[in-house]
Amino acid sequence: MAGDIKPWGRLATFGLGFVAMMAAQFAALMALTLWLGQDLTQMPDFSGDGVAVTLIILVSTPIQLLLLAAFARIAGSNPFAYLALTLPSRSEVIFGVFVTAALIVIGNTLSWLLGNNIVTAFQSDIFRTANAAGPLALLCLWFAVIVMTPIGEEVLFRGFLFRGWLRGPNDAWAVIFVTAALWALIHLQYDWYTTGQIFAFGLMLGWMRWATGSTILAILLHAMINLEGMLETLVAAQWPT
């Protein structure tokens, strides 16, 4: 039960979450150097390389999840309970999908009205380079973006950090806001407009996590957002304007 869980302190929660994320990213970078046959000082700019991005996600996510689960266990809790990995109800899923779809439509409409591209340069670059590397690389990119990324990010932000920072109902909106802001800020590949959209989605995901008590729902909705983004990228690649 959530009431029986004794979370880490707020500062410790931030520190351990940061350690898990950075340790996982470092391991992924080491894997990338082995794959490229170069050391860190010789690494090229791979920010738009779909194969490199896929490798980083596939390596870093399991490591991050294992570390967060270990921290939850050290705190004396079942990792699934600590990270709120409980199934949402059918009505909660339906409501979440409806709200997420509405936000996607609003965001795309706003982008169109402001004259901004719905598909970012980063999305186009990783799709194009993965596609050039072959069908398997492209399939792995889809899996990394739609499955692994939502699991890794939601377990960290709406799972581990949320658990450690939410101590009572009065904390809810502050925790929702801060986790959404931190989540948006790690997306360094985007401009401020797209980062703002990510923050808005983060507010929605945080509220869903708080209202339902389920990080799994946040994962599902995050996957829906990323799936829509990949489909838009596919359409843009097939029928460029």
Side-chain angles (χ1 to χ4, degrees), residues 5-14 82 156-167 171 175 209:
I5 295 174
K6 296 181 179 179
W8 290 93
R10 289 190 173 97
L11 186 59
T13 293
F14 177 79
Y82 192 96
L156 173 60
F157 289 96
R158 257 67 67 172
F160 189 79
L161 296 183
F162 211 95
R163 174 70 71 194
W165 289 343
L166 183 67
R167 301 306 173 89
D171 298 334
V175 174
R209 159 65 176 88

Side-chain angles (χ1 to χ4, degrees), residues 14-46:
F14 177 79
L16 291 172
F18 182 77
V19 166
M21 182 177 68
M22 295 309 295
Q25 291 296 315
F26 181 77
L29 283 175
M30 292 300 99
L32 188 60
T33 61
L34 290 174
W35 177 65
L36 293 174
Q38 299 175 331
D39 60 39
L40 286 176
T41 61
Q42 299 173 318
M43 292 282 281
D45 180 13
F46 56 83

Side-chain angles (χ1 to χ4, degrees), residues 10-239:
R10 289 190 173 97
L11 186 59
T13 293
F14 177 79
L16 291 172
F18 182 77
V19 166
M21 182 177 68
M22 295 309 295
Q25 291 296 315
F26 181 77
L29 283 175
M30 292 300 99
L32 188 60
T33 61
L34 290 174
W35 177 65
L36 293 174
Q38 299 175 331
D39 60 39
L40 286 176
T41 61
Q42 299 173 318
M43 292 282 281
D45 180 13
F46 56 83
S47 59
D49 187 327
V51 177
V53 169
T54 299
L55 178 63
I56 289 173
I57 294 171
L58 295 181
V59 172
S60 65
T61 301
I63 295 172
Q64 180 175 290
L65 292 174
L66 288 172
L67 287 172
L68 294 175
F71 296 152
R73 178 64 72 183
I74 292 170
S77 298
N78 179 296
F80 286 91
Y82 192 96
L83 300 170
L85 295 173
T86 57
L87 289 174
S89 68
R90 181 178 179 181
S91 61
E92 289 168 345
V93 173
I94 293 173
F95 177 71
V97 168
F98 175 81
V99 172
T100 302
L103 279 181
I104 290 172
V105 171
I106 292 170
N108 286 348
T109 302
L110 181 61
S111 296
W112 178 73
L113 291 174
L114 294 175
N116 292 328
N117 290 327
I118 294 176
V119 177
T120 66
F122 173 77
Q123 291 171 276
S124 297
D125 288 344
I126 63 172
F127 189 93
R128 173 179 49 78
T129 52
N131 187 46
L136 180 60
L138 186 59
L139 179 63
C140 288
L141 175 67
W142 280 78
F143 177 76
V145 171
I146 298 169
V147 179
M148 296 300 287
T149 295
I151 293 174
E153 292 183 358
E154 294 307 315
V155 169
L156 173 60
F157 289 96
R158 257 67 67 172
F160 189 79
L161 296 183
F162 211 95
R163 174 70 71 194
W165 289 343
L166 183 67
R167 301 306 173 89
N170 292 335
D171 298 334
W173 277 110
V175 174
I176 291 170
F177 182 91
V178 173
T179 52
L182 290 175
W183 178 56
L185 289 173
I186 69 167
H187 292 82
L188 301 175
Q189 67 271 39
Y190 298 123
D191 60 20
W192 282 107
Y193 174 77
T194 305
T195 302
Q197 287 188 315
I198 294 170
F199 173 68
F201 279 117
L203 293 176
M204 181 273 294
L205 293 171
W207 186 87
M208 290 290 179
R209 159 65 176 88
W210 172 71
T212 66
S214 174
T215 303
I216 289 180
L217 179 59
I219 292 171
L220 292 174
L221 300 181
H222 189 159
M224 177 181 170
I225 294 166
N226 285 12
L227 172 61
E228 188 272 343
M230 287 295 289
L231 290 174
E232 286 178 341
T233 307
L234 173 63
V235 170
Q238 295 295 323
W239 296 282

